[in-house]
Amino acid sequence: MTSAPSTDAIRTVDAVVVGAGFAGLYMVHKLREAGFTVQGVDAAKDVGGTWYWNRYPGARCDIPSLLYSYTWSDELRDSWRWSEKYATQPEILAYAEHVADRYDLRPAFLFETKVVSAVFNEETGRWRVETDKGQVFDARFCIMGTGCLSVPRVPDLPGAASFKGKAYVTGQWPHDGVDFKGKRVAIIGTGSSAIQSMPLIAADAAQVTVFQRTPNFSLPALNTPLTDEEVAAFNEAFPIYKSLLDSGEPGIPLPPKGWVPSDEELAPLVEQLWNGGGLISAAMIPELMRSERINDAAADFVRARIREIVKDPVLAARLTPTSFPIAAKRACVDTDYFATYNRDNVTLVDLRETPIEAITETGVRTSGAEYPADIIVYALGFDAMTGALLNIDIRGRDGVALRDVWSEGPKTYLGVAIAGFPNLFTVTGPGSPSVLSNMLNSIEQHVDWIFDAIQHVQKTQSALIEATPQAQDDWVAHVNEEADQTLYPRAASWYVGANVPGKPRVFMPYVGEGYKKRCDQIAADGYVGFALSR
Ligand code: NA7
């Protein structure tokens, strides 16, 4: 416990920004440029957010690098050259570092420091933000750039602590890498992190055993180096891309609205899902998440490819996802995932047939057998979207805790503000498109919107801006209605919190259309649904 700091030790700032990922970096930059005093805080040693932590082999973005980039500065864009269609984690981290260097953002941050509480003071209308190192900030605004996938699930399997070999969590990967040469490796989980890392681990290790609870859909990345011509073509088209984003249109081509393709029309689109590379071709399939017929056609196509690639038909059947619609859990993007199961040194253990009973001193014991391992890789996913916010003791009006307000699931207005928590904003919070969009675009949109809202508070000489309970209730109802019209809720995914025992099952991202236009209209009309007070 740290003793209570003296009043002198409390630093007064206009804003505290939590997180030095892409959200926090841009927010700090924007506020500082406008003359606000800002304190950034991050638990990591340096910038990068999720890309700082997720250093497992094969970690990459699943949105093309050219789109997985900030759009707010031409000179930043001109100063950076992506080398591959889907950048690796080291390259994305280097991009975040490049941004921090170029705009001298590091001095605005306290690193290796966690915010432990943020408490609103009704009398002063300000936030008292405390860190685990005992620093206290008195801030007018509190902006949470805490990330959607920033709290990795650590192993809670019985006996995990008894394992005598080395154990690693994909989301907390060691900085100096892991040497798999000659080792027997157990990989637990078959989400994106496992699917990206497994082929690279198998290329090095003596033996890899993958423990699969639910088979997953994965699409080939078809990753390639980016040519100068591709970069030049993107740069040439950039003004159009940017103006589309600014006007609230998706920056990628989409099928015509209202078009429900016949089976005949669907066939080439579904083929493109596999042959187009990455996730973007999924967006080209109209009604993919609304029509069972269309979703089944896409899923069947991918299932057939798995059967083609995996030589052993029994193994192929085990690897074939059947229990949820394609993309209702985020589809993975891989390089050689299914093909790697044809290697002699790779084994699949189907936990639906033989569940894990315990981690032992020497490996993994299922109800069927004991699997000795030198290394266990836990790829168990994240306490997504709400985990990082709820790890902080956030208290709004009347000392009410966010943990209590959200005990039945997150409630926000637009995913950016919470009723009863004035002057506190969440970048890509639950209830916004966030993880179902290009995160970089969504982060930018939220940061710009929050910045404008703060400017509006200043201009109107208000003290506080806060979502009204009615606007929040209406938004939560709308988020749910939109999700209910889709196939998303049919999967026990992290979108609904199903991967964390005891987490309320609420669909968290916003799947409706026209989100940015709505946010912009709300601002243009004087922040409808928000109360401004002196
Ligand atoms: P995911 O996609 O949440 O995957 C986690 C995996 O771990 C998934 O296969 C889970 O099986 C499995 N899991 C979780 N707990 C257990 C236990 N106790 N026993 C066995 N298997 C378990 O996380 P990722 O990190 O791979 O990817 C997250 C996102 O990062 C991804 O969507 C991209 O957006 C980037 P389940 O499916 O729950 O049966």
Side-chain angles (χ1 to χ4, degrees):
M1 281 292 282
T2 46
S3 53
S6 69
T7 323
D8 295 350
I10 299 177
R11 200 179 149 218
T12 300
V13 288
D14 293 319
V16 163
V17 173
V18 189
F22 287 116
L25 289 178
Y26 182 38
M27 192 81 245
V28 163
H29 171 65
K30 203 145 175 156
L31 287 169
R32 227 179 38 178
E33 286 288 287
F36 291 91
T37 52
V38 190
Q39 182 62 60
V41 187
D42 197 293
K45 271 198 177 132
D46 200 359
V47 300
T50 199
W51 298 106
Y52 174 89
W53 298 102
N54 284 271
R55 295 168 186 247
Y56 59 84
R60 284 176 192 275
C61 52
D62 56 11
I63 300 276
S65 322
L66 288 168
L67 307 182
Y68 197 78
S69 307
Y70 287 133
T71 66
W72 48 267
S73 162
D74 285 341
E75 60 105 13
L76 171 60
R77 194 161 42 86
D78 290 344
S79 69
W80 187 258
R81 167 70 159 84
W82 293 110
S83 68
E84 291 177 81
K85 186 173 177 195
Y86 298 100
T88 58
Q89 173 272 335
E91 195 171 7
I92 301 170
L93 184 59
Y95 177 66
E97 289 167 353
H98 172 71
V99 174
D101 288 340
R102 203 167 178 89
Y103 299 97
D104 195 27
L105 297 173
R106 286 188 182 88
F109 280 91
L110 274 174
F111 291 105
E112 294 184 86
T113 305
K114 281 185 184 170
V115 168
V116 289
S117 67
V119 178
F120 182 67
N121 181 327
E122 301 254 7
E123 272 168 34
T124 60
R126 298 178 67 90
W127 286 88
R128 180 189 164 93
V129 179
E130 272 195 65
T131 74
D132 63 344
K133 302 275 168 65
Q135 296 104 330
V136 180
F137 301 100
D138 173 60
R140 192 163 169 213
F141 298 99
C142 208
I143 298 131
M144 299 296 179
T146 41
C148 294
L149 296 168
S150 46
V151 180
R153 290 194 57 229
V154 288
D156 51 2
L157 294 159
S162 70
F163 181 59
K164 291 269 194 311
K166 300 269 187 210
Y168 302 101
V169 172
T170 45
Q172 297 172 334
W173 203 256
H175 287 206
D176 38 8
V178 175
D179 185 5
F180 290 104
K181 279 206 184 64
K183 303 282 196 254
R184 296 162 303 173
V185 184
I187 301 177
I188 306 184
T190 47
S192 180
S193 303
I195 283 177
Q196 287 186 331
S197 56
M198 188 280 260
L200 293 172
I201 296 173
D204 271 356
Q207 172 66 39
V208 168
T209 310
V210 180
F211 295 83
Q212 169 190 272
R213 194 164 65 179
T214 314
N216 225 329
F217 289 101
S218 188
L219 305 169
L222 308 183
N223 189 35
T224 51
L226 268 178
T227 63
D228 288 342
E229 289 71 33
E230 284 166 324
V231 174
F234 176 77
N235 284 336
E236 201 176 312
F238 182 81
I240 300 168
Y241 171 61
K242 178 70 176 152
S243 69
L244 283 171
L245 291 179
D246 288 347
S247 63
E249 296 295 334
I252 53 168
L254 290 180
K257 273 206 174 91
W259 176 41
V260 182
S262 65
D263 289 348
E264 235 168 45
E265 291 168 321
L266 194 55
L269 294 174
V270 161
E271 229 167 278
Q272 188 62 11
L273 177 66
W274 188 264
N275 298 328
L279 281 184
I280 283 207
S281 30
M284 287 304 296
I285 304 184
E287 305 295 309
L288 179 70
M289 299 316 293
R290 287 169 191 271
S291 154
E292 269 183 62
R293 172 181 65 86
I294 290 172
N295 193 287
D296 285 349
D300 284 345
F301 192 86
V302 173
R303 291 182 190 119
R305 301 290 78 71
I306 298 171
R307 285 193 292 274
E308 250 168 38
I309 296 170
V310 181
K311 292 194 181 122
D312 171 352
V314 176
L315 181 56
R318 289 195 173 117
L319 285 166
T320 301
T322 51
S323 58
F324 59 94
I326 188 167
K329 282 186 181 184
R330 191 183 179 92
C332 304
V333 172
D334 72 276
T335 300
D336 294 336
Y337 174 64
F338 292 112
T340 303
Y341 283 97
N342 294 328
R343 293 176 65 115
D344 291 340
N345 69 335
V346 177
T347 308
L348 182 79
V349 175
D350 192 333
L351 300 177
R352 294 167 300 182
E353 294 161 10
T354 54
I356 293 177
E357 285 180 348
I359 306 297
T360 65
E361 285 186 11
T362 52
V364 182
R365 192 179 73 231
T366 70
S367 62
E370 183 106 32
Y371 297 89
D374 306 305
I375 296 177
I376 300 181
V377 173
Y378 292 104
L380 304 176
F382 298 85
D383 183 353
M385 305 195 71
T386 55
L389 289 167
L390 295 178
N391 276 352
I392 302 170
D393 185 12
I394 302 176
R395 288 173 190 265
R397 285 192 185 278
D398 303 321
V400 169
L402 186 65
R403 287 172 189 155
D404 293 333
V405 177
W406 283 9
S407 61
E408 287 169 10
K411 296 187 181 82
T412 69
Y413 181 35
L414 302 172
V416 79
I418 306 159
F421 296 77
N423 288 6
L424 179 131
F425 298 99
T426 50
V427 183
T428 63
S432 73
S434 61
V435 293
L436 288 176
S437 64
N438 175 346
M439 279 304 289
L440 264 276
N441 293 161
S442 283
I443 283 170
E444 229 176 287
Q445 185 250 328
H446 261 194
V447 169
D448 288 340
W449 194 94
I450 292 165
F451 178 79
D452 290 347
I454 289 174
Q455 296 278 58
H456 181 74
V457 172
Q458 302 278 82
K459 271 191 228 130
T460 54
Q461 295 181 334
S462 309
L464 304 174
I465 183 168
E466 60 187 302
T468 67
Q470 185 62 53
Q472 178 167 286
D473 287 349
D474 293 348
W475 182 251
V476 170
H478 174 64
V479 169
N480 284 310
E481 273 162 26
E482 288 288 336
D484 288 344
Q485 287 169 36
T486 71
L487 304 173
Y488 282 108
R490 296 211 197 161
S493 67
W494 56 260
Y495 297 149
V496 294
N499 65 328
V500 178
K503 189 164 172 170
R505 289 236 183 167
V506 173
F507 191 80
M508 292 184 282
Y510 177 61
V511 294
E513 288 180 357
Y515 174 81
K516 180 178 188 295
K517 285 186 182 160
R518 189 188 283 252
C519 291
D520 289 348
Q521 195 60 51
I522 284 168
D525 293 343
Y527 293 86
V528 179
F530 288 88
L532 284 133
S533 56
R534 300 213 167 214

